[in-house]
Amino acid sequence: MKTIFEESVPGRKTDYIPEPDVPAAPADLAPRERKLRLPEVSEVQADRHYTALAKETRGVNGGFYPLGSCTMKYNPPAAERAAALPGFTGVHPLQEDGTVQGCLEVMTLTEKMLAEITGMDFITLQPAAGAHGEFTGLLLIKAWHRAAGEGQRTKILVPDSAHGTNPASAAMAGFEVVNIPSDENGCVDTAELKKRAGPDTAGLMLTNPNTVGLFDPNIEEITRIVHDAGGLNYYDGANLNAIMGVVRPGDMGFDVVHLNLHKTFAAPHGGGGPGSGPVGCKAFLADFLPGTRISEEDGGLCRREAPARVGDVRSFGSNFLVVVKALAYILSIGREGVRETAAGAVLNANYLMHRLRDAYPMAFDVPCMHEFVMTLEKLKEETGVSALDIAKGLIDRGIHPPTMYFPLIVHEALMAEPTETETRETLDEAAEAFLEVLEDAKAHPEEAHLKPLTTRIRRPDEVKAARKPVIRYDLPD
Amino acid sequence: MGTYVPDTQGEQREMLGACGFRDFGDMYAKAGIPEKLMLRTLPGIPEGMSEMEVGRRMEGLARKNRVYGAVFRGAGAYRHYIPAIVGEVCGKEEFRTAYTPYQAELSQGLLQSIFEYQTDICELTGMAASNAGVYDGATAAAEACEMCRDKKRRRVLISAAVDPKTASVVRTYAFGRDAETVTVPERDGVTDQDALEKLIGEDTACVLIQQPNFFGCEEDTARAAEIAHRAGAKAVVICNPISLAVMKTPGEAGADVAVGEGQPLGIPLSFGGPYLGFMAADEKMMRRLPGRIVGETTDMNGERCYVLTMQAREQHIRREKASSNICSNEALCALTASVYLSVMGPEGLKKVALSCRAKAHYLRERLAEAGLEKVHVRPFFHEFVMKAPDEGKVRAILGALDREDILGGLPLGDGKMLWCATETEPRGSMDRAAAVVKEVLAR
């Protein structure tokens, strides 16, 4: 496949705007002297180029996409349509409040519903992604302790099963990370937690269900231990799809949460964004929320900056169009749909796990929540076939592989999250494929290392890419 | 009512049975959820609606917003013409619904598009290396500051001529890192570089300067970079991507890192998001770039292909030692920018830049004739500050313009307004705006 630069022919172009109907400005700026070597293609070439790229990109529309921890559910076009309305796309963020009542209403409606679902008192829609939300939530915790004269609380407790963004966010917020080991059931070791929670604890970051797909039965004890030590509890909402409408983080002892609108609330992943990571908090933290607060005044909605706010985490108020999609989704599925979604997600995961558990060792052989983790450690020891090999084998069967090598507490891990939008027959067919790939790999281990066989590109050399990075096309002068 | 759970109740009953669950309650109980935590219902969420009803509701909300016919406000978000093909390409379901391309064999199209985007950004900025994008221009500036920090040098100098929203985000991120920020004063609409020389020191990580700056004025970025380097610090230039078609690039000015807001490259105003932060650095700083980066390599058959690379910087590998926690690269927005640049090409982008300049200069003259006072008499790109006699007049001007379906300049306080004109404004709408201003000032 050629790059767009290789398709360029000097002089090719399309005219999209007219010549200016006013005189040219004086040439009084220090000019760009370096040639601008952007692609020079006709529109038909661009159209074909991106069509070819789309053909080599796998979306949820292309088939089963059981990436654990990512919630690759169906993204409704109805939400896209709402986000494309000119009444949303054409609005400048710095228009007067009176001229953006629709946008402000979208935001307050979404805030209200997310608060209801999470059991929080207030929501900010400013963070642009889950990790961004984590960072924001941690800043709230930091500001709270500082304001209370407890600046010595410099440590954040993070389970060793946590997603990498958790410790990374804690570091960005200036905290030291203390790892909490998981017990043999994959859950937080409460004895270890008790040992480490103390006067230097700012808080705990946790997701429940956790990254091995299990609901931690000790959750209330865990949050109490941290509160007793004077710390706050942060809920990583990446796995909310398992519990929304069923249990609420606010009822489990959490003080701050973040949500992923691009996972749980069906906004599309876009190949890596844009997402949206709203943060919710209990009332005692609300003064510190970043950005502006929307309130009702004189019969209309308006934006006000909270004076004690922790700052801003991006220029404007939210990844607004992503919020629009999430709102359309919640309005569509409604009160019962929220619960049905979670129930369907958990059922589908259990069903797929059930179909696979005789052949694939499960990291924890108990009923799961919305995702489950398989371990191929024994397979690797006995045959040399790795989780990676199995994953690549699934590609030949038209299935996007599950998440590989995460969480770190399971060796040769494959984590599958089917989501609630998959049909039973999809799960049955997927199970067949998983079982056949495993059989095949056991019978012919050497061949397993050569999969996939059916794709244009096979086993890219990642070592070479990292050692001598080539990260832009080498343009001729 | 609308639900995306496809299986019928009968099918679900069978599946529950296959798993050994009596019903959903039993499923949750066996999955370890304590009975006392379980909700009965969610009273605050309304009942579900059909797609048609949801559509009506959303349209109703959209109608409550004003979308102006003429837009003379920028300040970090700009209305530009978006070619139809941009929406067409970015609406493709494969691009829209794909995940991050961790499985390279299934994502060559997406990976290549990011590689092309990275090349575009290097070209625009004149820098050697680009990442795949971050949340927005302001967070890009904040991440750039962290790139420049080391054990000894942690303080960041931010020009007062940088967009206040960007400065706020930089300070918020600095609060996270317990690092200090210092404001370099502005004088007559540009960074006071004499003051900069006095403020910079051995503990300075970098200088943050914006080009064109918040007031629209051209900065002497080369001089700022030179001052920074002499003091052993780095220069971070926040730039407008459209302006890079005609203005001296950060690379040519000697910047160590170039960042900016990519929204002008084909992304609609969208009430502020989602937008796109671009980040580019010189060769020395490449490995300090946060976020995703796509690299070229070969596969087992020697075929050219693309992969996510240098992942050892990132959160999923380094965890608390990662250069940033960022996971997303605003991928679909980066694709949007790349498609826009592909079809605009160098001539098209230059035309947009020159048209913006021409319109803005024309508007400024007409507004001056109408009675507003020019504030900075300096070279500017497409934004400029004008002064009205008092705040009352500013409100009256904006109200009168509003009635003509025109969004006027951003009020800055003290009678000042920040005006902007892009290639989308016909001469007639600028004449009309000036006529309205003239009438208000004459009252």
Side-chain angles (χ1 to χ4, degrees):
Chain A
M1 268 202 309
K2 288 192 182 160
T3 66
I4 189 98
F5 305 99
E6 289 160 320
E7 308 212 33
S8 295
V9 176
R12 292 256 171 98
K13 66 188 173 105
T14 305
D15 267 325
Y16 291 104
I17 61 168
E19 297 298 322
D21 50 5
V22 293
D28 56 359
L29 297 173
R32 176 190 181 105
E33 273 163 16
R34 201 194 137 107
K35 189 161 177 243
L36 182 59
R37 298 169 301 177
L38 291 175
E40 292 181 82
V41 295
S42 62
E43 194 176 279
V44 63
Q45 286 173 279
D47 187 46
R48 292 214 173 124
H49 177 77
Y50 290 107
T51 299
L53 294 188
K55 270 210 189 86
E56 295 212 16
T57 298
R58 167 64 88 88
V60 171
N61 61 319
F64 191 41
Y65 220 125
L67 273 178
S69 176
C70 304
T71 313
M72 301 300 292
K73 65 171 76 182
Y74 178 67
N75 310 121
E80 295 301 314
R81 182 187 272 180
L85 290 169
F88 291 137
T89 60
V91 180
H92 193 292
L94 299 175
Q95 285 178 209
E96 321 304 323
D97 289 337
T99 67
V100 297
Q101 291 294 295
C103 293
L104 298 181
E105 202 177 327
V106 164
M107 292 176 73
T108 49
L109 272 171
T110 309
E111 286 174 2
K112 270 200 200 92
M113 293 202 269
L114 295 180
E116 170 84 8
I117 288 170
T118 54
M120 293 289 126
D121 298 319
F122 291 93
I123 301 277
T124 174
L125 298 173
Q126 203 183 47
H132 209 202
E134 289 175 24
F135 173 62
T136 304
L138 289 164
L139 289 184
L140 295 185
I141 291 175
K142 184 172 189 171
W144 164 256
H145 286 307
R146 288 265 171 104
E150 298 267 308
Q152 84 288 352
R153 293 186 180 273
T154 57
K155 303 206 164 108
I156 290 284
L157 310 171
V158 180
D160 55 9
S161 60
H163 193 275
T165 51
N166 286 180
S169 302
M172 274 180 82
F175 291 110
E176 206 186 305
V177 173
V178 175
N179 272 302
I180 307 293
S182 303
D183 62 18
E184 67 279 0
N185 299 318
C187 296
V188 171
D189 186 329
T190 50
E192 291 295 321
L193 176 65
K194 252 197 219 111
K195 258 196 263 170
R196 288 164 172 75
D200 57 0
T201 301
L204 166 77
M205 290 180 86
L206 194 67
T207 183
N208 194 29
N210 61 22
T211 56
V212 293
L214 300 176
F215 191 89
D216 198 319
N218 300 317
I219 189 64
E220 289 186 282
E221 191 195 343
I222 290 165
T223 52
R224 194 172 42 240
I225 288 169
V226 176
H227 277 153
D228 286 348
L232 297 180
N233 292 300
Y234 179 95
Y235 180 80
D236 178 333
N239 290 334
L240 195 79
N241 206 44
I243 59 159
M244 66 170 178
V246 179
V247 293
R248 305 195 306 180
D251 299 335
M252 294 193 278
F254 288 97
D255 307 293
V256 199
V257 316
H258 89 263
L259 297 161
N260 299 59
L261 299 187
H262 50 290
K263 293 187 182 190
T264 318
F265 297 94
H269 282 77
S276 173
V279 165
C281 68
K282 296 284 186 175
F284 71 91
L285 290 167
D287 281 346
F288 301 109
L289 284 168
T292 57
R293 317 288 314 127
I294 305 174
S295 54
E296 197 161 335
E297 270 173 43
D298 303 320
L301 295 169
C302 59
R303 290 167 281 185
R304 294 277 172 265
E305 273 176 6
R309 79 188 201 283
V310 83
D312 294 284
V313 294
R314 64 185 291 282
S315 273
F316 298 110
S318 67
N319 266 6
F320 181 71
L321 296 184
V322 180
V323 175
V324 168
K325 293 179 196 181
L327 178 64
Y329 176 72
I330 299 172
L331 288 175
S332 171
I333 65 175
R335 169 189 318 150
E336 286 317 304
V338 168
R339 291 164 61 82
E340 280 160 15
T341 294
V346 174
L347 175 59
N348 277 2
N350 275 285
Y351 181 77
L352 184 61
M353 181 174 84
H354 194 80
R355 293 289 317 266
L356 297 179
R357 57 197 282 271
D358 288 337
Y360 279 86
M362 296 295 155
F364 301 96
D365 198 9
V366 292
C368 61
M369 293 292 287
H370 64 309
E371 62 194 5
F372 61 93
V373 184
M374 300 163 269
T375 168
L376 299 174
E377 186 172 20
K378 196 147 157 281
L379 181 74
K380 178 102 194 280
E381 271 165 29
E382 290 172 2
T383 65
V385 174
S386 65
L388 183 94
D389 293 326
I390 297 296
K392 299 300 182 188
L394 285 166
I395 291 177
D396 283 332
R397 304 308 247 58
I399 294 180
H400 191 288
T403 300
M404 307 183 300
Y405 300 104
F406 180 78
L408 302 176
I409 57 169
V410 176
H411 296 140
E412 297 296 322
L414 286 178
M415 184 187 345
E417 179 185 355
T419 84
E420 73 285 0
T421 59
E422 298 300 340
T423 62
R424 180 172 69 175
E425 58 270 24
T426 301
L427 299 180
D428 286 335
E429 281 160 22
E432 290 303 316
F434 269 81
L435 295 170
E436 279 169 31
V437 167
L438 186 60
E439 271 308 299
D440 192 46
K442 279 183 179 155
H444 312 280
E446 338 71 47
E447 283 173 27
H449 307 312
L450 302 173
K451 306 283 170 86
L453 299 172
T454 56
T455 51
R456 182 175 66 86
I457 297 299
R458 301 167 55 206
R459 304 266 181 151
D461 188 343
E462 298 190 9
V463 172
K464 176 167 137 184
R467 215 184 329 116
K468 295 200 81 199
V470 173
I471 61 177
R472 68 176 202 273
Y473 181 74
D474 199 11
L475 290 160
D477 256 309
Chain B
M1 181 190 156
T3 180
Y4 299 99
V5 176
D7 294 324
T8 63
Q9 283 189 1
E11 285 176 302
Q12 289 196 315
R13 263 196 301 274
E14 282 171 27
M15 291 166 75
L16 284 164
C19 296
F21 301 132
R22 278 192 314 273
D23 50 34
F24 280 117
D26 187 39
M27 175 184 82
Y28 280 123
K30 293 203 166 97
I33 302 200
E35 171 73 27
K36 69 193 250 283
L37 285 179
M38 292 198 51
L39 298 171
R40 299 296 147 227
T41 181
L42 286 170
I45 312 281
E47 254 177 49
M49 296 193 277
S50 67
E51 188 181 290
M52 189 173 92
E53 290 166 297
V54 173
R56 280 226 178 96
R57 184 84 196 273
M58 300 307 291
E59 281 161 24
L61 289 165
R63 266 198 301 276
K64 289 189 190 177
N65 299 318
R66 286 289 302 282
V67 178
Y68 288 94
V71 174
F72 294 116
R73 188 171 294 190
Y78 303 92
R79 187 177 81 166
H80 289 285
Y81 180 71
I82 302 173
I85 188 162
V86 174
E88 177 77 16
V89 168
C90 299
K92 288 183 193 294
E93 213 174 345
E94 291 80 10
F95 291 135
R96 195 166 52 76
T97 68
Y99 192 63
T100 305
Y102 289 119
Q103 292 290 351
E105 289 93 338
L106 280 177
S107 331
Q108 283 302 298
L110 187 55
L111 286 161
Q112 184 177 320
S113 76
I114 299 172
F115 185 78
E116 291 173 359
Y117 162 83
Q118 287 167 191
T119 308
D120 288 330
I121 296 300
C122 288
E123 263 314 284
L124 273 182
T125 58
M127 309 296 282
S130 163
N131 71 6
V134 295
Y135 309 129
D136 71 352
T139 52
E143 295 273 11
C145 292
E146 186 56 26
M147 282 173 71
C148 297
R149 288 194 183 102
D150 61 29
K151 276 207 171 64
K152 205 179 66 152
R153 292 175 176 275
R154 297 184 52 71
R155 183 188 294 184
V156 167
L157 302 186
I158 314 175
S159 164
V162 165
D163 188 324
K165 299 183 289 299
T166 304
S168 177
V169 172
V170 168
R171 280 194 295 268
T172 305
Y173 273 63
F175 168 63
R177 298 277 188 186
D178 296 306
E180 219 189 305
T181 60
V182 171
T183 304
V184 181
E186 61 93 4
R187 192 160 34 117
D188 187 35
V190 292
T191 308
D192 182 344
Q193 305 232 18
D194 296 326
L196 172 61
E197 291 230 49
K198 294 203 186 73
L199 284 166
I200 201 161
E202 279 179 359
D203 58 356
T204 305
C206 63
V207 173
L208 213 56
I209 189 165
Q210 183 178 316
Q211 179 77 302
N213 67 25
F214 180 65
F215 309 115
C217 300
E218 182 192 28
E219 293 270 11
D220 188 349
T221 46
R223 182 171 172 214
E226 199 242 330
I227 293 172
H229 294 152
R230 245 188 297 120
K234 307 258 193 286
V236 176
V237 176
I238 306 163
C239 45
N240 175 305
I242 303 283
S243 77
L244 293 175
V246 296
M247 287 180 77
K248 179 192 277 194
T249 61
E252 289 165 309
D256 300 282
V257 188
V259 301
E261 177 53 64
Q263 177 271 326
L265 302 174
I267 298 169
L269 290 170
S270 322
F271 195 55
Y275 285 174
L276 170 70
F278 60 86
M279 297 186 73
D282 68 7
E283 197 80 43
K284 297 188 263 76
M285 305 276 287
M286 174 174 69
R287 287 189 187 274
R288 310 204 83 198
L289 282 167
R292 223 154 264 153
I293 298 183
V294 169
E296 187 187 296
T297 186
T298 47
D299 80 342
M300 65 193 299
N301 294 320
E303 292 289 317
R304 180 178 74 178
C305 59
Y306 304 95
V307 287
L308 293 175
T309 191
M310 300 200 285
Q311 292 185 71
R313 299 157 302 119
E314 293 192 77
Q315 48 81 25
H316 54 292
I317 310 283
R318 293 297 298 277
R319 297 173 73 87
E320 64 263 27
K321 296 198 181 62
S323 48
S324 164
N325 70 345
I326 194 165
C327 219
S328 160
N329 67 302
E330 302 283 297
L332 202 57
C333 299
L335 177 68
T336 303
S338 191
V339 176
Y340 176 86
L341 291 170
S342 290
V343 297
M344 279 300 189
E347 292 312 308
L349 197 69
K350 220 182 295 179
K351 194 174 179 187
V352 171
L354 293 174
S355 184
C356 288
R357 288 208 75 213
K359 310 276 187 164
H361 283 73
Y362 180 82
L363 178 65
R364 189 176 183 230
E365 293 311 307
R366 300 289 82 74
L367 290 175
E369 282 163 13
L372 290 178
E373 187 193 316
K374 292 180 187 176
V375 173
H376 309 119
V377 185
R378 312 184 140 272
F380 66 95
F381 180 62
H382 67 351
E383 286 185 282
F384 53 91
V385 180
M386 302 289 274
K387 194 171 192 303
D390 53 57
E391 281 295 292
K393 282 295 185 187
V394 170
R395 277 193 297 276
I397 287 171
L398 289 175
L401 287 172
D402 175 274
R403 285 188 289 279
E404 296 285 319
D405 197 29
I406 299 172
L407 179 64
L410 180 74
L412 297 178
D414 198 31
K416 296 195 187 137
M417 300 169 81
L418 178 65
W419 295 81
C420 172
T422 68
E423 79 283 7
T424 59
E425 297 309 329
R427 176 190 202 125
S429 71
M430 296 188 285
D431 290 337
R432 215 162 18 97
V436 168
V437 168
K438 186 170 185 189
E439 191 273 325
V440 171
L441 291 178
R443 288 186 206 156

